[in-house]
Amino acid sequence: MVSGRQLSFGIKTAPQQTTYEDILRVWQEADANPAIEHAWVFDHFIPLGPDPAGPCLEGWTLLAALAARTERLRIGVMVTGNTYRHPAVLANIAAAVDVISGGRLDFGIGAGWNELEHDMYGLELPPPGRRIRMLGEACEVIRRLWTEETASFEGRYYRLREARCEPKPVQKPYPPFVIGGSGEQLTLRVAAQYADIWNFAGGPVETFLHKSAVLDRHCQEIGRDPRSIERSVQLRIDDADLAATRELVRRYVDAGATHLVLILRPPFPEGITHRLADEVIEPLRAAYRPGA
């Protein structure tokens, strides 16, 4: 066990098969609990899983509402599908949410992947290589719109001509980029260039270790300090066995994860954020506190 590691814990509430009122209840409960530092929704238009029927709240609209009803939590979409929105449109949406939240947005983005959603809505889902190159251009487009009075860009997939995005985000120079994905040749190269936080969506801890090492190599190739990118992982909790959840989180912390996103599944149990704080978060913080 490595002591002295700064850990950051958050929750993720998938906005499917639930209601706005129930999500708001959990977020406000978490907002009042200083052990929990961030909260996330996802970016899908239909429920994930075998049955696409049922309610699914649109992620960025929901995030704006939750931003207005919380005060402390850092907030975000884990992660936005780049193929769903032109990046200039997304830059304006995200800037507005950062303003509404008073500068609490962590900007999550990935290449997009859900074939069923794209087919349903007639959206193009390019092959993986093209999709990830689009992600890289999108990150550049968004960063320019957030930092330049008028932004111009001539890429393979996107173009800006003296484009404006006002108001800018509250956070300077811009909200942290959270890039999700694990493709070794392209996605992790984009993460090395643009990410402040890299998110591993899930899988064996050995895979997380390997992908993190690949990210390190990409950083070294472009002259970036790998330690400047925080390592994040999403983990499903078992609310019936939080001791097992704590042990699962511990394994990823030992592997180098410091940004821990605990996925809650609806219906969200009453008081679940307090239980997470008492039975998972605080014991792990105590174990990894400097000098522990």
Side-chain angles (χ1 to χ4, degrees), residues 19 41-42 56 63 69 78 89 93 95 100 128 140 143 149 154 164 166-168 177 186 188 202 210 259 265 267 286:
T19 64
V41 296
F42 73 19
C56 186
L63 190 67
R69 300 293 299 275
M78 184 69 80
V89 174
I93 293 170
I100 292 166
E140 183 64 27
R143 191 164 68 178
E149 182 178 355
E154 194 71 39
R164 297 179 181 272
E166 297 294 344
K168 303 290 189 212
F177 275 68
L186 295 176
L188 291 177
H210 171 71
H259 185 272
R265 287 176 288 189

Side-chain angles (χ1 to χ4, degrees), residues 19-29 66 69-70:
T19 64
Y20 168 65
E21 291 76 15
D22 211 26
I23 294 173
L24 177 61
R25 170 181 61 83
V26 174
W27 277 53
Q28 289 185 326
E29 183 182 280
L66 295 168
R69 300 293 299 275
T70 54

Side-chain angles (χ1 to χ4, degrees), residues 84-258:
Y84 295 141
R85 305 166 191 83
H86 190 285
V89 174
L90 179 59
N92 279 270
I93 293 170
V97 172
D98 197 53
V99 170
I100 292 166
S101 70
R104 292 185 284 124
L105 177 70
D106 287 333
F107 176 67
I109 191 167
W113 61 271
N114 193 304
E115 185 175 348
L116 178 59
E117 287 177 321
H118 288 78
D119 184 60
M120 277 185 169
Y121 296 129
L123 300 172
E124 182 184 7
L125 184 65
R130 179 182 169 197
R131 205 155 68 231
I132 297 162
R133 286 188 289 271
M134 290 172 67
L135 171 65
E137 284 196 10
C139 289
E140 183 64 27
V141 163
I142 292 165
R143 191 164 68 178
R144 291 191 188 193
L145 284 166
W146 284 349
T147 58
E148 299 175 8
E149 182 178 355
T150 58
S152 295
F153 178 79
E154 194 71 39
R156 185 173 177 181
Y157 308 105
Y158 303 115
R159 184 188 67 194
L160 299 176
R161 287 185 179 173
E162 298 184 1
R164 297 179 181 272
C165 176
E166 297 294 344
K168 303 290 189 212
V170 173
Q171 298 177 84
K172 303 302 179 191
Y174 44 77
F177 275 68
V178 183
I179 295 182
S182 298
E184 297 183 17
Q185 296 301 314
L186 295 176
T187 305
L188 291 177
R189 187 179 302 165
V190 172
Q193 185 172 359
Y194 291 102
D196 298 286
I197 301 170
W198 165 65
N199 180 257
F200 178 68
V205 67
E206 294 79 11
T207 304
F208 169 78
L209 273 167
H210 171 71
K211 301 292 185 180
S212 187
V214 172
L215 178 58
D216 286 350
R217 291 198 294 272
H218 283 305
C219 287
Q220 290 161 358
E221 288 170 2
I222 64 171
R224 183 175 181 185
D225 184 350
R227 294 172 296 180
S228 67
I229 301 178
E230 191 169 5
R231 310 305 158 101
S232 172
V233 65
Q234 301 181 56
L235 300 169
R236 294 189 180 276
I237 74 158
D238 181 354
D239 55 71
D241 189 355
L242 290 184
T245 298
R246 184 173 64 247
E247 174 60 21
L248 177 64
V249 174
R250 183 195 62 77
R251 293 181 62 210
Y252 283 90
V253 172
D254 283 342
T258 57

Side-chain angles (χ1 to χ4, degrees), residues 1 3 40 72 77 90 96 123 161 212 240 271:
M1 182 177 294
S3 65
W40 305 84
R72 182 191 56 83
V77 175
L90 179 59
L123 300 172
R161 287 185 179 173
S212 187

Side-chain angles (χ1 to χ4, degrees), residues 44-63:
H44 293 285
F45 306 117
I46 57 174
L48 300 183
D51 183 6
C56 186
L57 293 162
E58 195 279 321
W60 278 98
T61 308
L62 176 61
L63 190 67

